[in-house]
Amino acid sequence: VHSEMNSLDRMKGQADSLQNVMEQADSVGQFSNKPTLEEYLAYLLTSDRSVKSAFYRWRAALEKTGYAGALPDPVVSYGQFGEEVQTRVGPQNGRFGIKQALPWPGRLRASKAVSKHSAAVAYHKMQTVSDLAVFQIKASYYQIYLLRREIVLTEENMALLQFWESVAQTRYKVSLQKHPDLIKVQIELGRLENRITGLHDQLSASREALLARLDLPQSIRFEDPEKIDVEVSKADVGVVLQLALLNNPNLASLRSGIDKAESGQSLARSKSRPGFVFGFDYLFTGEALDPAMEGSGDDPWMVSVGVSLPIYFGKNRAISNEAQAQLNASRHKHQDQVNKLEGTVQNIVFRHNDALRQMMLYRDGLIPKAEQLLKSEFTAYQAGETDFLNLLESQRLLLKFQLQYEKSMVKLATVAAKIDLVTGVAE
């Protein structure tokens, strides 16, 4: 019991500290002149509405532990006789009484335990909500980075195409180049320009969606990320799964749910045991007709003991069966989540390592070779040894590989954030 009280005290202290942070945080002071992802996430965890809602649900569950398991309120009564009751020692004209119900030993402790485990469930659900919010912000942030990089790369390719166009125009003027090649480059320029317009629209929409999710103060200006950090190392299925089974907040919530159901079973059993009621009554008595009589005007009092009899066996059996069913449901739900988590981890680790492989392939192999090919094709084109279409295709291939590299890097960062989510380290 002492250990449980210490645990509750620690949880309440943690809740008080977190609430102070939420209520007193200076949102503007959290940001530097050029805010980083870490600053956005720190702001999110103290300001996000869904996180706050989950926090106060936990807080409410914690407060319930303060009265769960407490004794019922005593009942105080006063009665006034309509007609005085005449006795030998005098007339009785009123009565004062107090009664206190005492449940079967263990019932209050079981009720307290149910409440404590309910608070633990709410705490882990708050963790789940905050971790999910962090993942969503990271994913949106990485998507904005990708759109920005697509715009930059496409603009760089447009600049290179405009150079090709000037070369084609020069050759066309001196009759060394046929007109259709000039049209080809102009068509490609138009296609890329349209692509850039669409990317800017998409970037604007993604940025507004992220700002709405963050609900930043008006004084804070959002900065599109120019780079993102990725860890270039393979993920191990066994390690990730072990961390997920140990720290995943949703799984922890279900484990606390099992503890709650087991305490609920103890509480249900206690309801088939008798309870007790202790009472004290005091009667107000006037003086007897003969004041000299012994005991005249003495106020009698009495103590009483009552027992509640749990004789409705069908009701008690139903309560017990309900508690057992709740426990069975909690255990099956937990095992189902374990099975799903194992499959999720397998899929995430595969996607992580596949994205890492692709990123390294484009960075270390395909992009350098595509750059060599483009230089070779340009040299050959200047010498009149290749067609302009080959030069154009070489540039398209380089742009494709550059974009695929950025996409694979963003995919790696996003899947890494997903691993943090399932392993409970999203912050």
Side-chain angles (χ1 to χ4, degrees), residues 235-243 342 345-347 349-350 353:
D236 182 87
V237 173
V239 173
V240 174
L241 182 58
Q242 184 178 13
L243 288 172
E342 290 176 350
V345 167
Q346 292 280 352
N347 179 263
V349 170
F350 165 76
N353 293 338

Side-chain angles (χ1 to χ4, degrees), residues 145-160:
Y145 164 80
L146 178 59
L147 291 170
R148 169 55 63 187
R149 288 297 298 156
E150 284 197 59
I151 291 172
V152 170
L153 289 172
T154 306
E155 287 176 342
E156 289 176 354
N157 274 266
M158 275 194 67
L160 191 55

Side-chain angles (χ1 to χ4, degrees), residues 174-371:
V174 296
S175 300
L176 295 176
Q177 181 68 26
K178 293 183 179 179
H179 184 60
D181 287 343
L182 183 59
I183 297 177
K184 290 175 185 176
V185 72
Q186 291 172 343
I187 290 174
E188 186 68 10
L189 281 170
R191 187 183 72 83
L192 291 181
E193 186 176 357
N194 179 66
R195 174 62 179 160
I196 289 174
T197 300
L199 287 170
H200 273 293
D201 291 342
Q202 192 175 350
L203 176 61
S204 178
S206 297
R207 188 188 297 120
E208 290 301 320
L210 180 58
L211 289 174
R213 183 71 173 82
L214 284 171
D215 193 21
L216 291 173
Q218 292 293 328
S219 58
I220 302 301
R221 181 175 177 271
F222 179 80
E223 296 283 345
D224 290 341
E226 297 177 358
K227 65 176 184 177
I228 58 174
D229 297 323
V230 292
E231 186 174 346
V232 187
S233 61
K234 292 186 67 175
D236 182 87
V237 173
V239 173
V240 174
L241 182 58
Q242 184 178 13
L243 288 172
L245 293 176
L246 185 64
N247 299 322
N248 182 271
N250 189 37
L251 206 59
S253 175
L254 294 175
R255 285 195 294 267
S256 295
I258 293 175
D259 294 337
K260 176 184 174 182
E262 289 175 343
S263 297
Q265 198 175 40
S266 298
L267 181 61
R269 284 195 295 266
S270 73
K271 290 182 178 179
S272 63
R273 304 290 190 271
F276 305 94
V277 179
F278 295 89
F280 172 82
D281 290 280
Y282 187 92
L283 282 76
F284 301 103
T285 306
E287 290 189 352
L289 294 175
D290 181 5
M293 180 178 291
E294 182 180 0
S296 173
D298 289 349
D299 296 331
W301 56 271
M302 64 178 292
V303 293
S304 61
V305 177
V307 179
S308 64
L309 301 177
I311 61 175
Y312 299 108
F313 302 111
K315 179 190 75 173
N316 295 329
R317 185 167 54 250
I319 291 174
S320 179
N321 290 343
E322 178 191 17
Q324 182 63 52
Q326 290 284 3
L327 178 58
N328 292 340
S330 298
R331 286 172 174 168
H332 286 299
K333 188 174 182 179
H334 174 264
Q335 188 57 50
D336 179 58
Q337 186 62 30
V338 168
N339 296 340
K340 289 179 179 178
L341 191 60
E342 290 176 350
T344 298
V345 167
Q346 292 280 352
N347 179 263
I348 292 175
V349 170
F350 165 76
R351 289 165 53 203
H352 177 277
N353 293 338
D354 182 64
L356 176 61
R357 177 186 59 80
Q358 290 188 39
M359 188 187 79
M360 297 180 69
L361 172 65
Y362 286 112
R363 185 192 66 185
D364 301 332
L366 297 182
I367 290 178
K369 290 178 181 178
E371 289 173 342

Side-chain angles (χ1 to χ4, degrees), residues 160-168 185 374 378 388 391 395:
L160 191 55
L161 269 177
Q162 288 167 349
F163 171 71
W164 300 151
E165 182 184 27
S166 65
V167 172
V185 72
L374 181 59
F378 180 60
F388 183 78
L391 179 62
Q395 184 177 339

